[in-house]
Amino acid sequence: MGYLTGKKKAPAVADPAYVTWDAENSMVMTWLVNSIEEEISSNYMCYPTAQELWENVNQMYYDLGNQSQIFELILKLGEMRQGEHNVTKYFNSLKRIW
């Protein structure tokens, strides 16, 4: 997580620990890019650190994730019908979704 949050800072290039940091940072970046849809992942290949990559992806899609979840919940709630169920069972079904 330190690579994403910025807590794991890059040492100076001359520092022997830089090689390890660079390899680990690259690995985290690879995991991130490989977890993104292929159609948009190429947009995120130019960032020098995992933190910058994560911040940009987060900025672009954070609210979108919430909106799509809200939309999905609203659709499910709109499709719910009491039908043959008693009020208690219907209420519990609504409560589980909400």
Side-chain angles (χ1 to χ4, degrees):
M1 284 298 290
Y3 288 94
L4 299 179
T5 62
K7 288 183 180 177
K8 186 83 170 173
K9 300 280 185 207
V13 176
D15 188 328
Y18 181 81
V19 173
T20 302
W21 178 89
D22 189 45
E24 291 172 349
N25 180 66
S26 295
M27 186 173 17
V28 172
M29 290 178 68
T30 300
W31 289 336
L32 286 172
V33 170
N34 287 337
S35 69
I36 298 172
E37 291 288 331
E38 191 174 334
E39 296 84 23
I40 60 172
S41 64
S42 61
N43 297 333
Y44 296 99
M45 301 252 189
C46 62
Y47 293 97
T49 66
Q51 179 187 9
E52 288 181 61
L53 171 62
W54 178 249
E55 286 173 353
N56 280 279
V57 169
N58 201 17
Q59 179 182 5
M60 178 65 89
Y61 297 104
Y62 178 73
D63 286 336
L64 180 62
N66 289 340
Q67 292 300 321
S68 63
Q69 288 174 346
I70 290 169
F71 179 72
E72 184 178 339
L73 289 173
I74 290 170
L75 282 179
K76 285 182 180 179
L77 287 170
E79 294 170 354
M80 295 288 297
R81 300 288 182 262
Q82 183 174 352
E84 300 292 319
H85 302 295
N86 63 37
V87 173
T88 304
K89 188 170 185 175
Y90 179 62
F91 174 77
N92 288 333
S93 296
L94 290 172
K95 186 86 168 153
R96 255 193 314 270
I97 290 175
W98 197 250

